Amino acid sequence: QVQLVESGGGLVQAGGSLRLSCVASGRTFADYHMGWFRQAPGKEREFVGAINWSGRSTGYADSVKGRFTISRDNAKNTVYLQMNSLKPEDTAVYYCAARSRSGTYWYTERIDHYNYWGQGTQVTVSS
């Protein structure tokens, strides 16, 4: 089992920045690729971005590309989501998720490909 705990959410004005953190425990963090997802009120959960186990590869949804950056520190069992140039439409609950390294590819946007989820952290962007 992997436990994930997000933090860093809050209220920010449009154009501002936030950095979310997700701390993992329970298993070897480097055994997992990590993803970030978000869910706005009344909408389905959607993919934001992902990072491979080593941190050398990342991928992003078009809606956040160029504004959001994912990184990880395996020594601290932590993955980060740096969010810049925030927009009101970025308002959502943000979740981190983990999926095992086993398999032939690391990148996936599919929710059902991730095995473990955090409880989420609220991000609200005011206009």
Side-chain angles (χ1 to χ4, degrees), residues 33 47-52 57-62 65 99 104-110 113-114:
H33 308 306
F47 173 79
V48 173
I51 188 167
N52 81 326
S57 298
T58 56
Y60 301 92
D62 288 343
K65 202 171 293 183
R99 60 186 297 264
T104 58
Y105 61 93
W106 73 270
Y107 183 81
T108 178
E109 300 180 4
R110 288 182 52 170
H113 285 184
Y114 289 82

Side-chain angles (χ1 to χ4, degrees), residues 8-20 38 64 66-69 81-91 94 123-127:
L11 174 64
V12 63
Q13 288 189 330
S17 298
L18 278 176
R19 188 176 82 154
L20 306 184
R38 66 186 182 186
V64 305
R67 300 188 298 123
F68 290 11
T69 303
L81 178 65
Q82 177 67 44
M83 305 185 292
N84 298 329
S85 302
L86 282 161
K87 305 174 181 180
E89 51 263 44
D90 294 318
T91 295
Y94 283 72
V123 172
T124 303
V125 184
S126 63
S127 57

Side-chain angles (χ1 to χ4, degrees), residues 23-44:
V23 179
S25 61
R27 291 284 179 90
T28 302
F29 186 56
D31 284 345
Y32 295 87
H33 308 306
M34 300 297 295
W36 283 96
F37 292 77
R38 66 186 182 186
Q39 188 166 18
K43 294 188 176 181
E44 295 186 350

